[in-house]
Amino acid sequence: MTAAIVLVFFLVYLGMILGGLPFLQLDRTGVALLGAIALIGSKAVTPEEAARSIHLPTVVLLFSFMVVSAQLRLGGFYAWVTAGLARPKLSAPALLGAMIVVAALLSAVFSNDVVCLSVAPVLAAICARRGLNPVPFLLGLAGAANVGSAATLIGNPQNMLIGSALGLSFAGYVEEAAVPVLLGLGAVWSILAWQSRGRWTSMPAAASEVGAPDEEEARFDRWQSTKGLVVAGTLLGAFLFTGWPREVAALAGAGVLLTSRRLHSRKTLGLVDWELLVLFTGLFVVNHAFQRTGLPAAFVADLASAGVRLERPLPLFVTTLVLSNAVSNVPAVMLLLPVAGAAAAGPLLALVSTFAGNLFIVGSIANIIVVDAAARQGIRIDWRTHARAGVPITVVTLAIVAAFMALRP
């Protein structure tokens, strides 16, 4: 049975690396789900054991904030905020800076993926109207969303998992992450502004033809947006100043938003990323089965005997960086959490796994969303264009994290 579990684990994580499996119409979510089904079907894991392996607080917290983000998206809040950046006659570098700040703030509270999905089309339209090259602004959106989402334990899925699994203090984590995130955002702006000097108006083909987004959620609804912001603000207050379990508070907030006379629950739940929730569920089951074989513990013990202790900052830093770009940050965090069991390792794991997502397009779902949104508008951002900004942004931001962790008492 151990051999079967190892085979399933290997195939699932091969799928995480490749984005699917050869000859099969499966994406990462499908691979993770199929792996869990194979383990249950082969009786390597019982259905009851599979259910217990799922870290429910993380799934509940993730679902709840998807509902909050869906409320704001349907209320047109993200598009309204982005369009507001175009009203002042800011210079191109100043507009880039303002966009980075706004994207980071939104991503710290709401899902960075949803922020990118909602902001990218509006941002491209703003650049077209002003005759600006949209590429540095779209790259800035992805970079700021990734870096900004690391500021809190609710900014992205991996941080939610780390915070819930390690029982981290919400306020304590924000205090630790604030300096690296602020310096990281400065690095994103500096690198893109330096690379774009003298080429702010050099538009790629078809970029001047970009039109305003025509989605239903682009129309601003003051009441629905205010309702979502009030719930989000209340939840932040609860996280910072009370001991109420975060997943319980967030679920209550989602329930309030779903109780609506004007906005049908079908629309709100239709914007929930069910595939991501299924991905989490499948990986929880697969990782639990693999951990139960004892092979990961034996491997970590062998490394420790060779002088490589993964719970120490430097080995954990390097391993997180490599795994985050090999299998993506969420699967990487799931693999490393049993090793980084101490709460002190939580901030390092959260910051490195998130900042590492800027390296290549496939390193973060936010990157993929921005590139796909740009392509639909006729704006081409290939891997070379992204890497030209993504590689230095990742190197500088991770150097900031390394310095901060080294100076940490």
Side-chain angles (χ1 to χ4, degrees):
M1 191 59 72
T2 297
I5 293 174
V6 171
L7 177 61
V8 169
F9 178 85
F10 171 78
L11 290 175
V12 166
Y13 275 87
L14 178 64
M16 297 301 107
I17 294 171
L18 301 177
L21 289 177
F23 313 114
L24 295 175
Q25 295 298 311
L26 291 170
D27 58 9
R28 287 186 173 91
T29 299
V31 172
L33 178 59
L34 194 60
I37 291 172
L39 290 172
I40 295 171
S42 64
K43 297 184 179 180
V45 177
T46 66
E48 294 77 15
E49 188 180 2
R52 288 194 299 269
S53 71
I54 298 168
H55 195 264
L56 196 57
T58 299
V59 175
V60 169
L61 186 63
L62 186 56
F63 164 78
S64 301
F65 269 90
M66 286 178 180
V67 172
V68 177
S69 291
Q71 173 80 21
L72 292 174
R73 186 177 169 190
L74 290 172
F77 173 74
Y78 298 118
W80 176 75
V81 169
T82 309
L85 295 175
R87 295 189 187 106
K89 294 299 181 181
L90 300 175
S91 65
L95 179 60
L96 176 65
M99 186 277 303
I100 285 174
V101 170
V102 168
L105 287 173
L106 291 175
S107 297
V109 181
F110 310 107
S111 168
N112 56 345
D113 300 343
V114 172
V115 170
C116 288
L117 187 65
S118 303
V119 169
V122 184
L123 184 61
I126 290 171
C127 292
R129 286 199 299 269
R130 292 193 53 177
L132 296 172
N133 178 6
V135 172
F137 293 91
L138 291 169
L139 292 175
L141 169 62
N146 285 326
V147 173
S149 71
T152 70
L153 293 174
I154 57 174
N156 56 56
Q158 64 269 19
N159 278 22
M160 292 184 188
L161 175 59
I162 293 166
S164 296
L166 299 182
L168 300 182
S169 161
F170 190 89
Y173 174 81
V174 171
E175 185 178 351
E176 288 210 54
V179 172
V181 167
L182 289 174
L183 292 177
L185 292 173
V188 172
W189 178 84
S190 299
I191 290 169
L192 287 171
W194 181 77
Q195 290 184 346
S196 303
R197 66 196 188 283
R199 297 198 303 270
W200 291 106
T201 58
S202 177
M203 290 187 292
S208 60
E209 303 298 324
V210 174
D214 193 28
E215 299 181 10
E216 180 181 350
E217 58 262 28
R219 295 194 294 271
F220 182 61
D221 186 319
R222 188 178 301 276
W223 165 247
Q224 298 298 341
S225 295
T226 300
K227 185 178 175 182
L229 290 173
V230 168
V231 168
T234 302
L235 290 178
L236 281 178
F239 295 164
L240 288 168
F241 305 115
T242 76
W244 201 7
R246 289 195 286 270
E247 67 277 6
V248 176
L251 192 61
V256 170
L257 293 178
L258 288 171
T259 308
S260 175
R261 296 178 60 190
R262 295 171 53 191
L263 195 61
H264 201 288
S265 61
R266 186 186 303 110
K267 290 184 177 180
T268 304
L269 294 177
L271 292 178
V272 169
D273 191 347
W274 298 104
E275 289 196 8
L276 182 58
L277 297 176
V278 172
L279 174 68
F280 262 71
T281 301
L283 288 177
F284 275 128
V285 176
V286 171
N287 288 344
H288 168 77
F290 188 58
Q291 289 288 338
R292 205 182 59 176
T293 65
L295 292 175
F299 178 69
V300 170
D302 289 342
L303 286 177
S305 64
V308 180
R309 303 183 66 87
L310 291 181
E311 68 273 14
R312 290 178 178 171
L314 181 58
L316 182 61
F317 186 105
V318 174
T319 306
T320 304
L321 170 61
V322 173
L323 281 180
S324 294
N325 279 283
V327 298
S328 190
N329 40 30
V330 168
V333 165
M334 285 188 171
L335 283 174
L336 292 172
L337 268 175
V339 179
L348 186 151
L349 187 59
L351 289 168
V352 175
S353 64
T354 303
F355 286 9
N358 279 320
L359 188 62
F360 300 120
I361 290 176
V362 296
S364 165
I365 299 297
N367 297 343
I368 296 172
I369 288 172
V370 169
V371 170
D372 287 348
R376 287 194 295 272
Q377 304 279 5
I379 304 165
R380 185 170 181 266
I381 302 177
D382 58 21
W383 71 271
R384 290 178 184 274
T385 302
H386 180 275
R388 182 172 177 268
V391 170
I393 285 173
T394 303
V395 170
V396 173
T397 54
L398 287 178
I400 291 169
V401 174
F404 181 76
M405 289 296 172
L407 297 173
R408 183 183 178 199

